[in-house]
Amino acid sequence: MRIIKSPFALTKYIKFLKSQNKTIGLVPTLGSIHAGHISLIKKSLKKCDITVVSIFLNRKQFFNLDDLKKYPSKISDDKKKLASLDVDILFMPDYDMMYAKNENIFLSSTLLKSDEEKIHFNGVLTVVNKLFNICLPDFAFFGKKDPLQLFFIKEMIRDLNMDIKIVPCPTIREKNGLALSSRNQRLSAEELERAGCLNLILSEIKSKKDLNAGRSIISKNKITIVYIKLFDIDTFKPTAKFVRNKTLICIKAKIGSVFLIDNILYK
Ligand code: AMP
């Protein structure tokens, strides 16, 4: 596995690989590699000649600075995991290599409303756009666990005429249904067990076609709900209707001091 820190050096190398007709797959991550990331990486290894995994803890996309401070980082473990998977390139730039000191251009979406949404998704769109410009991927792999992120990236591809195929990948879960996330490392064993109920709540809402159906599970597991909402999966507009293969049931909850999200498609 080649480890590259310089964006310029990566672009130069990718251009060389492309001159040899190699297809390039990109898997962007914040690091602390887990089985969810690995499922995306395996898809890229299968589909593309060259797989680039980026690890970049993009502080611009963190609304909550405490969340950034506490975000787990395990670079030497990550390197071992990625090397054992036979990833071709690990791209891990420093902050100053990604952002110019006097930068004044960034991407944003007109759909974003709250400050939290703006900071997070403008940060995501800007950094993913940079990663696309640097890695020149043919395919980029993103998890359905973060459906709004997937939605905005697809909008960016369409609105900025980018010639990149986005590959949405299924959510990988613990045995108790909890979606894998780097943030899960901040939960105690007891909280990890309770966090499994997020998926249970979603399944209950799905089977009963009722947004209130998870109430008893919520009170039994003592979790704080930030929201439970229905969205149209294509437009991400809030909806009240359960339409098969169209309505995404989304949850955000706080367990201990950690915010977790999950979602399920109504089928
Ligand atoms: P992150 O490092 O959290 O930014 O995640 C990097 C990529 O992995 C994103 O496209 C996520 O949606 C995806 N991802 C994170 N957790 C999971 C999971 N449990 N299953 C599948 N994909 C995931």
Side-chain angles (χ1 to χ4, degrees):
M1 181 174 75
R2 224 176 248 249
I3 299 178
I4 299 181
K5 287 194 124 207
S6 148
F8 177 73
L10 179 59
T11 307
K12 201 169 160 205
Y13 184 46
I14 296 282
K15 282 186 175 166
F16 162 73
L17 292 166
K18 289 202 151 193
S19 74
Q20 303 195 323
N21 292 323
K22 304 277 191 208
T23 56
I24 312 292
L26 171 66
V27 183
T29 82
L30 299 175
S32 223
I33 300 297
H34 55 65
H37 299 126
I38 290 174
S39 72
L40 273 56
I41 293 166
K42 285 192 171 158
K43 278 214 156 63
S44 174
L45 288 166
K46 207 163 168 197
K47 198 172 183 70
C48 306
D49 299 321
I50 299 290
T51 290
V52 183
V53 176
S54 65
I55 294 183
F56 181 61
L57 191 55
N58 178 37
R59 59 181 191 244
K60 292 218 185 237
Q61 72 188 60
F62 282 78
F63 175 71
N64 182 337
L65 290 180
D66 194 46
D67 188 30
L68 171 64
K69 256 192 256 155
K70 291 186 179 148
Y71 203 88
S73 171
K74 299 194 159 177
I75 270 301
S76 65
D77 281 5
D78 287 354
K79 282 183 189 164
K80 278 185 213 145
K81 284 183 191 166
L82 298 177
S84 73
L85 286 165
D86 266 340
V87 164
D88 300 279
I89 301 169
L90 165 59
F91 177 51
M92 34 181 300
D94 290 334
Y95 183 86
D96 296 349
M97 294 171 161
M98 289 294 275
Y99 294 101
K101 275 205 180 67
N102 51 353
E103 52 147 354
N104 61 75
I105 309 281
F106 67 95
L107 279 184
S108 66
S109 160
T110 53
L111 299 180
L112 296 168
K113 295 201 177 72
S114 67
D115 284 350
E116 178 166 1
E117 273 189 354
K118 282 181 189 158
I119 288 186
H120 178 64
F121 288 108
N122 292 344
V124 168
L125 286 170
T126 301
V127 82
V128 171
N129 184 37
K130 282 171 184 278
L131 290 169
F132 285 175
N133 289 336
I134 295 164
C135 299
L136 309 171
D138 300 287
F139 297 91
F141 299 77
F142 292 90
K144 292 184 190 176
K145 186 193 148 253
D146 300 293
L148 205 49
Q149 169 171 288
L150 195 51
F151 169 77
F152 279 117
I153 286 166
K154 284 185 188 160
E155 299 280 288
M156 174 174 82
I157 295 284
R158 183 199 63 193
D159 293 353
L160 300 185
N161 307 83
M162 293 173 150
D163 183 17
I164 298 170
K165 307 249 170 351
I166 300 302
V167 185
C169 303
T171 301
I172 306 298
R173 300 176 180 282
E174 301 280 6
K175 279 204 190 82
N176 70 355
L178 173 64
L180 295 187
S181 162
S182 306
R183 289 187 176 88
N184 294 355
Q185 293 174 33
R186 290 171 45 203
L187 298 172
S188 68
E190 181 265 337
E191 286 168 343
L192 269 175
E193 208 39 61
R194 275 199 287 136
C197 79
L198 260 62
N199 191 238
L200 219 58
I201 296 164
L202 292 175
S203 303
E204 194 70 5
I205 293 170
K206 180 181 167 188
S207 69
K208 304 251 165 72
K209 278 179 78 172
D210 174 8
L211 262 188
N212 293 314
R215 273 202 184 140
S216 61
I217 307 173
I218 294 166
S219 58
K220 193 172 146 212
N221 289 279
K222 296 192 200 89
I223 57 169
T224 310
I225 300 294
V226 180
Y227 62 71
I228 300 179
K229 287 184 193 163
L230 304 181
F231 291 99
D232 177 305
I233 195 163
D234 298 319
T235 61
F236 247 91
K237 291 206 170 114
T239 175
K241 288 190 224 143
F242 287 84
V243 183
R244 286 187 200 286
N245 297 310
K246 274 286 267 177
T247 301
L248 198 65
I249 312 165
C250 296
I251 187 169
K252 181 170 181 179
K254 195 175 180 201
I255 302 202
S257 62
V258 185
F259 288 98
L260 297 173
I261 56 168
D262 200 354
N263 67 86
I264 198 170
L265 184 64
Y266 177 69
K267 284 195 215 170

